Amino acid sequence: MADETGGSYVEQGKSFDRDMNYIPDRIVREPVEGSDPPQWPVEPGRYRLVAAKACPWANRAIIVRQLLGLEDVISLGLAGPTHDQRSWTFDLDEGDVDPVLGIERLQQAYFERYPDYPRGITVPAIVDVPTGQVVTNDFPWITHDLFFEWTEHHRADAPDLWPAEVRDEMEEVMQRVFTEVNNGVYRCGFAGTQEAYDEAYDRLWTAMDWLEDRLADRRYLMGSTITEADIRLFTTLARFDAVYHGHFKCNRQKLTELPHLWGYARDLFQQPGFGENTDFAQIKAHYYVVHTDVNPSGIVPQGPDESVWLTPHDRERLG
């Protein structure tokens, strides 16, 4: 069975290895005909971002779309938090059908373009509304291109999510966050041996300690302003105590016990675009119901208390 990004669940005797082969097409301002991978034109109103608030990888795209003010340019379809082996479904919509695409399963948009699509049906995905075909599900490039290629459609005061002066270092930070934290929690949760788990656990907490130290004297990962790096880390931190601490056995400490990371996470949560797109009920439903090999009972925990996310963080003092 595939997870939200196509990786497999627990395989006995093996370490977790995420499948990173996605549909590589990109949507760009000046597409080159015959390019490999194919390029599609930036065109307001043409595309629909299909995402799920339950999924950390899709949650990034939802946040970036709102921060950049692209709500009226790229429509948003939201899948429900649980799915079967076939596909994410639109059970949040009336009649269980996406009102724009007219489909019950995201799988239908994939098959419309690739009738024998062999990989997991993942979110986020961008769908070409006129044809009903999936364009891309390459999640790192989706948010990258929303910033760089859709610039003329950003709202006037949109944040600079990729500041030129720190971009090289930011790429290094994001790579470490991805491999060691975003993917690191999955490496713990889906480990198939004790040895694989122990190694994954040590790697995760080495990175968490690095982040705790980094955020001791700077408000955000790259300084005093929010960047793409923060969005990528936030969606993992938002799920840490609710899911990863127990469900994925990442239990050395809770996020609330890490003073700098916890203050940083609350700071982001309380910013426009972050907390309002974080749905803890959907997050817990996804992990605890879908991951039957990790949680065979399907019982969804009631806690933790969500109100703590709105407590003061005092991060403004860092600039």
Side-chain angles (χ1 to χ4, degrees), residues 23-25 38 107 109-118 134-135:
I23 301 169
D25 297 33
Q107 183 185 55
Y110 278 70
F111 287 174
E112 190 66 32
R113 184 172 177 197
Y114 302 107
D116 299 316
Y117 188 73
V134 65
V135 174

Side-chain angles (χ1 to χ4, degrees), residues 122-153:
T122 66
V123 289
I126 293 184
V127 178
D128 180 43
V129 175
T131 64
Q133 297 182 354
V134 65
V135 174
T136 181
N137 64 342
D138 197 339
F139 67 93
W141 280 107
I142 286 175
T143 54
H144 174 281
D145 289 344
L146 287 180
F147 179 78
F148 284 102
E149 302 296 335
W150 292 80
T151 308
E152 64 185 86
H153 304 289

Side-chain angles (χ1 to χ4, degrees), residues 247-261:
H247 184 63
F248 278 178
K249 308 178 185 70
C250 303
N251 62 349
R252 193 191 79 181
Q253 289 166 278
K254 296 176 182 177
L255 178 65
T256 55
E257 296 167 347
L258 299 164
H260 303 310
L261 270 167

Side-chain angles (χ1 to χ4, degrees), residues 142-183:
I142 286 175
T143 54
H144 174 281
D145 289 344
L146 287 180
F147 179 78
F148 284 102
E149 302 296 335
W150 292 80
T151 308
E152 64 185 86
H153 304 289
H154 293 177
R155 59 182 171 84
D157 59 345
D160 183 359
L161 298 179
W162 295 74
E165 64 274 14
V166 298
R167 199 171 295 162
D168 289 344
E169 183 190 4
M170 192 173 89
E171 293 277 10
E172 295 175 1
V173 168
M174 291 193 300
Q175 181 61 25
R176 186 171 182 183
V177 166
F178 169 70
T179 59
E180 306 305 300
V181 181
N182 300 147
N183 204 40

Side-chain angles (χ1 to χ4, degrees), residues 101-311:
L101 299 174
I103 57 178
E104 297 178 351
R105 293 175 173 273
L106 178 57
Q107 183 185 55
Q108 293 168 257
Y110 278 70
F111 287 174
E112 190 66 32
R113 184 172 177 197
Y114 302 107
D116 299 316
Y117 188 73
R119 301 185 181 280
I121 306 301
T122 66
V123 289
I126 293 184
V127 178
D128 180 43
V129 175
T131 64
Q133 297 182 354
V134 65
V135 174
T136 181
N137 64 342
D138 197 339
F139 67 93
W141 280 107
I142 286 175
T143 54
H144 174 281
D145 289 344
L146 287 180
F147 179 78
F148 284 102
E149 302 296 335
W150 292 80
T151 308
E152 64 185 86
H153 304 289
H154 293 177
R155 59 182 171 84
D157 59 345
D160 183 359
L161 298 179
W162 295 74
E165 64 274 14
V166 298
R167 199 171 295 162
D168 289 344
E169 183 190 4
M170 192 173 89
E171 293 277 10
E172 295 175 1
V173 168
M174 291 193 300
Q175 181 61 25
R176 186 171 182 183
V177 166
F178 169 70
T179 59
E180 306 305 300
V181 181
N182 300 147
N183 204 40
V185 294
Y186 284 84
R187 198 180 294 114
C188 290
F190 293 152
T193 69
Q194 185 68 50
E195 292 75 18
Y197 166 74
D198 291 344
E199 179 185 357
Y201 179 95
D202 290 343
R203 284 180 62 178
L204 169 66
W205 283 104
T206 296
M208 292 289 280
D209 288 340
W210 162 66
L211 289 166
E212 178 73 1
D213 290 343
R214 184 178 180 90
L215 291 164
D217 59 359
R218 65 182 84 197
R219 185 170 181 181
Y220 303 114
L221 284 176
M222 304 312 303
S224 60
T225 61
I226 293 171
T227 66
E228 171 89 9
D230 298 299
I231 298 166
R232 294 186 179 194
L233 177 57
F234 171 79
T235 57
T236 295
L237 296 182
R239 288 156 178 77
F240 201 89
D241 286 3
V243 176
Y244 303 144
H245 179 271
H247 184 63
F248 278 178
K249 308 178 185 70
C250 303
N251 62 349
R252 193 191 79 181
Q253 289 166 278
K254 296 176 182 177
L255 178 65
T256 55
E257 296 167 347
L258 299 164
H260 303 310
L261 270 167
W262 174 226
Y264 162 83
R266 278 177 291 157
D267 186 359
L268 290 173
F269 183 87
Q270 294 169 29
Q271 302 283 344
F274 288 84
E276 63 205 89
N277 288 312
T278 303
D279 189 314
F280 291 109
Q282 289 195 35
I283 288 168
K284 290 187 292 184
H286 172 69
Y287 287 92
Y288 288 102
V289 173
V290 173
H291 297 166
T292 54
D293 47 356
V294 179
N295 185 44
S297 71
I299 294 172
V300 179
Q302 292 192 36
D305 180 9
E306 299 173 19
S307 67
V308 295
W309 283 89
L310 297 175
T311 57

